[in-house]
Short mmCIF file of all heavy atoms in Angstrom, two decimals:
data_model
loop_
_atom_site.label_atom_id
_atom_site.label_comp_id
_atom_site.label_asym_id
_atom_site.label_seq_id
_atom_site.Cartn_x
_atom_site.Cartn_y
_atom_site.Cartn_z
N ILE L 27 5.70 11.68 7.45
CA ILE L 27 6.23 13.01 7.73
C ILE L 27 7.26 12.86 8.84
O ILE L 27 6.96 12.31 9.90
CB ILE L 27 5.12 13.99 8.19
CG1 ILE L 27 4.02 14.10 7.14
CG2 ILE L 27 5.74 15.37 8.48
CD1 ILE L 27 2.81 14.88 7.60
N ASP L 28 8.46 13.36 8.57
CA ASP L 28 9.53 13.38 9.55
C ASP L 28 9.82 14.85 9.87
O ASP L 28 10.52 15.52 9.11
CB ASP L 28 10.78 12.70 8.99
CG ASP L 28 11.96 12.71 9.95
OD1 ASP L 28 11.95 13.48 10.93
OD2 ASP L 28 12.92 11.96 9.70
N PRO L 29 9.27 15.37 10.97
CA PRO L 29 9.45 16.79 11.26
C PRO L 29 10.87 17.17 11.64
O PRO L 29 11.28 18.31 11.44
CB PRO L 29 8.48 17.03 12.42
CG PRO L 29 8.36 15.72 13.09
CD PRO L 29 8.47 14.70 11.99
N LYS L 30 11.61 16.23 12.17
CA LYS L 30 13.00 16.51 12.55
C LYS L 30 13.83 16.84 11.32
O LYS L 30 14.61 17.79 11.30
CB LYS L 30 13.58 15.32 13.30
CG LYS L 30 14.94 15.56 13.90
CD LYS L 30 15.37 14.36 14.73
CE LYS L 30 16.77 14.57 15.27
NZ LYS L 30 17.25 13.40 15.98
N GLU L 31 13.65 16.06 10.27
CA GLU L 31 14.36 16.28 9.01
C GLU L 31 13.56 17.18 8.06
O GLU L 31 14.06 17.53 6.98
CB GLU L 31 14.64 14.94 8.32
CG GLU L 31 15.50 13.99 9.14
CD GLU L 31 16.89 14.54 9.39
OE1 GLU L 31 17.46 15.20 8.48
OE2 GLU L 31 17.42 14.31 10.50
N GLN L 32 12.33 17.52 8.45
CA GLN L 32 11.42 18.30 7.61
C GLN L 32 11.29 17.68 6.23
O GLN L 32 11.50 18.31 5.20
CB GLN L 32 11.85 19.76 7.54
CG GLN L 32 11.80 20.44 8.88
CD GLN L 32 12.02 21.94 8.81
OE1 GLN L 32 12.21 22.52 7.75
NE2 GLN L 32 11.96 22.58 9.97
N GLU L 33 10.90 16.39 6.26
CA GLU L 33 10.85 15.62 5.03
C GLU L 33 9.57 14.79 4.96
O GLU L 33 9.14 14.19 5.95
CB GLU L 33 12.08 14.71 4.97
CG GLU L 33 12.18 13.90 3.72
CD GLU L 33 13.44 13.06 3.68
OE1 GLU L 33 13.93 12.63 4.75
OE2 GLU L 33 13.95 12.84 2.58
N VAL L 34 8.98 14.75 3.77
CA VAL L 34 7.85 13.87 3.48
C VAL L 34 8.37 12.80 2.55
O VAL L 34 9.05 13.09 1.56
CB VAL L 34 6.69 14.65 2.81
CG1 VAL L 34 5.59 13.69 2.39
CG2 VAL L 34 6.15 15.72 3.75
N ARG L 35 8.05 11.55 2.88
CA ARG L 35 8.48 10.42 2.05
C ARG L 35 7.27 9.60 1.63
O ARG L 35 6.33 9.43 2.41
CB ARG L 35 9.44 9.51 2.82
CG ARG L 35 10.79 10.09 3.05
CD ARG L 35 11.74 9.06 3.72
NE ARG L 35 12.55 9.76 4.69
CZ ARG L 35 12.39 9.73 6.00
NH1 ARG L 35 11.49 8.98 6.54
NH2 ARG L 35 13.16 10.44 6.79
N SER L 36 7.35 9.06 0.44
CA SER L 36 6.36 8.10 -0.03
C SER L 36 6.95 6.72 0.23
O SER L 36 8.10 6.46 -0.12
CB SER L 36 6.11 8.31 -1.52
OG SER L 36 5.15 7.38 -1.97
N ILE L 37 6.17 5.86 0.88
CA ILE L 37 6.65 4.52 1.18
C ILE L 37 5.63 3.48 0.75
O ILE L 37 4.45 3.79 0.60
CB ILE L 37 6.98 4.34 2.69
CG1 ILE L 37 5.71 4.49 3.55
CG2 ILE L 37 8.07 5.30 3.14
CD1 ILE L 37 5.90 4.09 5.01
N ASP L 38 6.10 2.28 0.58
CA ASP L 38 5.22 1.15 0.31
C ASP L 38 5.16 0.36 1.62
O ASP L 38 6.20 -0.04 2.15
CB ASP L 38 5.78 0.30 -0.82
CG ASP L 38 4.82 -0.79 -1.24
OD1 ASP L 38 3.60 -0.55 -1.19
OD2 ASP L 38 5.29 -1.88 -1.61
N ILE L 39 3.97 0.17 2.14
CA ILE L 39 3.82 -0.47 3.45
C ILE L 39 2.73 -1.53 3.37
O ILE L 39 1.72 -1.34 2.71
CB ILE L 39 3.52 0.59 4.53
CG1 ILE L 39 3.66 0.03 5.93
CG2 ILE L 39 2.16 1.23 4.32
CD1 ILE L 39 3.70 1.10 7.02
N GLU L 40 2.97 -2.64 4.02
CA GLU L 40 1.96 -3.70 4.09
C GLU L 40 1.25 -3.58 5.43
O GLU L 40 1.88 -3.71 6.49
CB GLU L 40 2.62 -5.08 3.95
CG GLU L 40 1.61 -6.19 3.88
CD GLU L 40 2.27 -7.55 3.68
OE1 GLU L 40 3.47 -7.60 3.36
OE2 GLU L 40 1.57 -8.56 3.85
N MET L 41 -0.02 -3.27 5.38
CA MET L 41 -0.79 -3.06 6.60
C MET L 41 -1.23 -4.40 7.19
O MET L 41 -2.02 -5.11 6.59
CB MET L 41 -2.00 -2.17 6.34
CG MET L 41 -1.63 -0.77 5.89
SD MET L 41 -0.67 0.15 7.10
CE MET L 41 -1.97 0.75 8.15
N LYS L 42 -0.67 -4.71 8.35
CA LYS L 42 -1.04 -5.90 9.10
C LYS L 42 -1.50 -5.45 10.48
O LYS L 42 -1.50 -4.26 10.78
CB LYS L 42 0.17 -6.83 9.25
CG LYS L 42 0.69 -7.39 7.94
CD LYS L 42 1.87 -8.29 8.20
CE LYS L 42 2.45 -8.84 6.91
NZ LYS L 42 3.66 -9.62 7.16
N ALA L 43 -1.83 -6.40 11.32
CA ALA L 43 -2.35 -6.07 12.65
C ALA L 43 -1.40 -5.21 13.47
O ALA L 43 -1.83 -4.34 14.21
CB ALA L 43 -2.69 -7.35 13.41
N ASN L 44 -0.10 -5.42 13.33
CA ASN L 44 0.85 -4.68 14.18
C ASN L 44 1.68 -3.66 13.40
O ASN L 44 2.62 -3.10 13.95
CB ASN L 44 1.78 -5.65 14.89
CG ASN L 44 2.68 -6.39 13.93
OD1 ASN L 44 2.43 -6.39 12.72
ND2 ASN L 44 3.71 -7.01 14.45
N THR L 45 1.34 -3.38 12.16
CA THR L 45 2.15 -2.49 11.33
C THR L 45 2.30 -1.10 11.94
O THR L 45 3.40 -0.56 12.03
CB THR L 45 1.54 -2.36 9.92
OG1 THR L 45 1.51 -3.65 9.32
CG2 THR L 45 2.33 -1.39 9.06
N ILE L 46 1.21 -0.52 12.37
CA ILE L 46 1.25 0.84 12.92
C ILE L 46 2.09 0.87 14.18
O ILE L 46 2.92 1.76 14.37
CB ILE L 46 -0.18 1.36 13.22
CG1 ILE L 46 -1.05 1.35 11.94
CG2 ILE L 46 -0.13 2.75 13.83
CD1 ILE L 46 -0.52 2.19 10.81
N TYR L 47 1.91 -0.11 15.05
CA TYR L 47 2.67 -0.15 16.30
C TYR L 47 4.16 -0.33 16.02
O TYR L 47 5.00 0.27 16.68
CB TYR L 47 2.15 -1.27 17.20
CG TYR L 47 0.66 -1.18 17.41
CD1 TYR L 47 -0.20 -2.15 16.91
CD2 TYR L 47 0.09 -0.10 18.09
CE1 TYR L 47 -1.57 -2.05 17.07
CE2 TYR L 47 -1.27 0.01 18.26
CZ TYR L 47 -2.10 -0.97 17.75
OH TYR L 47 -3.45 -0.86 17.91
N SER L 48 4.48 -1.16 15.03
CA SER L 48 5.88 -1.38 14.66
C SER L 48 6.49 -0.12 14.05
O SER L 48 7.64 0.21 14.31
CB SER L 48 6.01 -2.53 13.67
OG SER L 48 5.57 -3.72 14.26
N PHE L 49 5.72 0.58 13.23
CA PHE L 49 6.21 1.79 12.57
C PHE L 49 6.66 2.82 13.61
O PHE L 49 7.70 3.45 13.47
CB PHE L 49 5.13 2.39 11.67
CG PHE L 49 5.56 3.64 10.95
CD1 PHE L 49 6.28 3.54 9.77
CD2 PHE L 49 5.27 4.89 11.46
CE1 PHE L 49 6.70 4.69 9.10
CE2 PHE L 49 5.69 6.04 10.81
CZ PHE L 49 6.39 5.94 9.62
N PHE L 50 5.87 3.00 14.65
CA PHE L 50 6.18 3.99 15.68
C PHE L 50 6.95 3.40 16.86
O PHE L 50 7.33 4.14 17.77
CB PHE L 50 4.90 4.66 16.19
CG PHE L 50 4.24 5.53 15.16
CD1 PHE L 50 3.08 5.12 14.53
CD2 PHE L 50 4.79 6.76 14.83
CE1 PHE L 50 2.47 5.93 13.58
CE2 PHE L 50 4.19 7.57 13.87
CZ PHE L 50 3.02 7.15 13.25
N ASN L 51 7.09 2.09 16.87
CA ASN L 51 7.72 1.42 18.00
C ASN L 51 7.00 1.78 19.31
O ASN L 51 7.62 2.11 20.33
CB ASN L 51 9.22 1.75 18.08
CG ASN L 51 9.97 0.77 18.96
OD1 ASN L 51 9.54 -0.36 19.15
ND2 ASN L 51 11.07 1.21 19.52
#
Side-chain angles (χ1 to χ4, degrees):
I27 302 172
D28 178 345
K30 188 175 177 184
E31 300 296 324
Q32 296 189 0
E33 182 177 32
V34 174
R35 288 185 219 105
S36 180
I37 64 169
D38 187 35
I39 193 166
E40 186 177 347
M41 297 298 277
K42 296 180 182 175
N44 66 345
T45 300
I46 302 301
Y47 307 114
S48 297
F49 180 84
F50 291 106
N51 197 25

